[in-house]
Amino acid sequence: MSGTYDLRERLEPLVTKLYPTAASTVLDALVALAGEWAPRLASRAGTRPDEGTAYLITYGDAFRRPEEAPLHTLADVLRRHVRDAVTDVHLLPIYPWTSDDGFGVVDHRQVNPELGSWDDLVELRADHALALDFVANHVSSSSAWFRGWLARDPRYAGYFLEPGDDFDTSAVVRPRTSPLFHEYPRPDGTIARAWTTFGADQIDVDPSTPAVLLELTDVLLGYIARGARTVRLDAIGYLWKQSGTTSIHLPQTHAVVRIWRVLLDALAPGTLLLTETNVPHADNVTYFGDGSNEANMVYQFALPPLVLHAFVTGRATQLSAWAARIGPVSATATWFNFLASHDGIGIRPTEGLLTDDDRALLVERTRARGGRVSMARRPDGSEGVYELNTNYLDALVDPTDADPDASAVTRGLAAHAILLSVVGVPAIYYHSLLGSGQDREGMTRSGIARRINREVLDADRLADELSTSGRRSGMLEGLRRLLEVRRMLPGFSPFATQTVADLDERVFVVRRAADTADEIIAAINVSADEVQLPSLRGTDVLTGRDTRGLTLPPFGYAWLRQR
């Protein structure tokens, strides 16, 4: 841990910004908290991501086996089937919960006993680094924090926001169409009214109360002590509320993230903060701060819809135009790239990147493939498309394709070749890695649109299907090969340069580490046409073949190394 004086000096302007009348008291408490955790965090220093770093995104109970703790089953599936294809495993919330498949957290400090225990994470950490989810913005209505607040327990005074009539919410931006406030009965017979960005069972905390910041910080440091190399800050943009504002991306929210970055840099250097803000690109990138003082990684939310658009249209024009503006961030910060996740494909990040007609094509493809479309309320009261609820591989497939499963593999591997080529750290959702299809039955049965891509898999049946299903084996083996080659190519470092070449609108071409000994040219055909690129020459490291003019088959791809 850096010296106490140095830590205080770095924290003081941030704390003063948040709590100008109580800065000294809060600062003392933060420094004391850091001192309490320092002995347990001394050995938790991490290493900088490199070209070999790849994350798997999964639920703790993504795989089940009778009479077995799901976290143990997960470790077994990873050991048997995934092995070293990925370096890090991102566990979506593993805590006791009451809603939203884990995001309505009852107790941030406990593992859901239906999944296992903290001891099961030791088994997972034996082969992979861990990323844990920190749902800092809200808690379940059944949590001790909220129940204590309702009961007027002084320990939880100010933990939740109950704004008066003079609190102006007219400009608030949020990703739901449900009411912003919900009412809850107190034990004394009165009614409380609380802020609920995401719904009635997810109550927003109020970090303008210093005790809340200290509580959240203690939870964060506890995750690092439990072995997390990465902590994902879920929905962090909504953390701070202020009358008359959008109550998203406020300067105070950025100050909180910076406080946590200061503490982690001091206590466990190399530990990574990952911010999750499913918003337009210009807002999303602000969570890098100056590149050294906020998030280490930021979700690249524009990538999934832009890649999907490229395959739907057979043109990489918009994808290439966007990627041409993306490059390395800093020596300590980079992009967290993904295509599929537990949520839908976010559409808000395409604002300014795609036209309404472009977005309509994505909506049409989603519905044609059996998916759904989720809406969100705009500040003017109208509704707009928030996300597409579908399985990413299925969304890539043209509804007229004669063999949808074969097409899912061909297009899916090409799409992931883009994911693995652009600057940043790649993350692959477990259903993509394993070639899963849409769980329409689960979506229909639950009435929850996102369940279409959250199916829990029987571990033993999966093992059988990996030997009998061309879709499952094709995706797993294809991605394993791509990842195996990628980790041997320094040109794919998350910190290497990126330059986009416009050679043919049907092909996405990106040069990584250009004009160095590590230069790699990635070319991915997003169309059903054979495309010739006579100017591209080199050795395709995926096949070992030399080329003096590249020809790509439909949805083909190549990684060219220059001699």
Side-chain angles (χ1 to χ4, degrees), residues 234-246:
D234 175 67
I236 194 65
Y238 303 95
L239 185 65
W240 201 283
K241 285 78 174 172
Q242 183 174 321
S243 178
T245 73
T246 60

Side-chain angles (χ1 to χ4, degrees), residues 232-348:
R232 173 185 181 270
L233 303 179
D234 175 67
I236 194 65
Y238 303 95
L239 185 65
W240 201 283
K241 285 78 174 172
Q242 183 174 321
S243 178
T245 73
T246 60
S247 292
I248 185 173
H249 315 313
L250 296 186
Q252 297 94 323
T253 293
H254 286 280
V256 171
V257 177
R258 292 178 185 184
I259 285 171
W260 290 340
R261 174 69 182 267
V262 167
L263 289 169
L264 293 188
D265 282 352
L267 297 170
T271 303
L272 305 173
L273 277 180
L274 167 63
T275 53
E276 187 265 343
T277 49
N278 188 359
V279 294
H281 184 75
D283 296 319
N284 194 33
V285 300
T286 63
Y287 287 87
F288 281 127
D290 67 6
S292 66
N293 66 349
E294 214 162 321
N296 301 95
M297 296 189 292
V298 167
Y299 270 82
Q300 191 59 282
F301 274 105
L303 187 63
L306 288 175
V307 170
L308 178 59
H309 177 266
F311 281 86
V312 168
T313 63
R315 302 189 311 273
T317 309
Q318 284 90 335
L319 173 64
S320 296
W322 166 80
R325 304 195 298 269
I326 304 299
V329 179
S330 73
T332 60
T334 190
W335 308 95
F336 190 80
N337 297 323
F338 73 109
L339 295 180
S341 75
H342 61 292
D343 290 339
I345 302 169
I347 294 301
R348 285 202 66 209

Side-chain angles (χ1 to χ4, degrees), residues 13 17 29 31 63 140 157 170 181 204 210 219 292 301 304 356 381 501 547:
K17 182 181 185 67
V31 172
F63 311 98
S140 164
S170 61
F181 299 99
D204 291 44
V219 171
S292 66
F301 274 105
D356 287 343
T547 178

Side-chain angles (χ1 to χ4, degrees), residues 66-149:
E67 307 302 322
E68 190 169 273
L71 285 172
H72 175 73
T73 306
L74 172 61
D76 182 65
V77 169
L78 294 177
R79 190 164 47 245
R80 289 174 182 267
H81 306 301
V82 179
R83 300 190 290 278
D84 62 353
V86 298
T87 55
D88 294 60
V89 175
H90 168 213
L91 292 171
L92 293 159
I94 57 173
Y95 323 110
W97 59 279
T98 53
S99 63
D100 199 13
D101 290 335
F103 287 89
V105 177
V106 174
D107 187 342
H108 288 78
R109 294 184 174 92
Q110 298 296 323
V111 172
N112 182 354
E114 294 183 5
L115 300 182
S117 68
W118 288 114
D119 290 339
D120 289 300
L121 297 193
V122 176
E123 182 181 11
L124 283 167
R125 283 170 42 213
D127 299 311
H128 299 91
L130 291 185
L132 293 180
D133 231 288
F134 183 17
V135 188
N137 179 73
H138 49 265
V139 300
S140 164
S141 61
S142 298
S143 71
W145 299 0
F146 187 62
R147 286 188 285 106
W149 179 78

Side-chain angles (χ1 to χ4, degrees), residues 152-192:
R152 304 188 192 278
D153 185 328
R155 291 176 296 176
Y156 302 105
Y159 265 49
F160 301 92
L161 185 62
E162 192 174 18
D165 293 337
D166 60 343
F167 195 105
D168 179 8
T169 63
S170 61
V172 167
V173 173
R174 54 192 294 263
R176 297 290 185 273
T177 57
S178 57
L180 179 59
F181 299 99
H182 284 86
E183 295 184 343
Y184 305 88
R186 293 184 183 272
D188 63 8
T190 61
I191 298 296

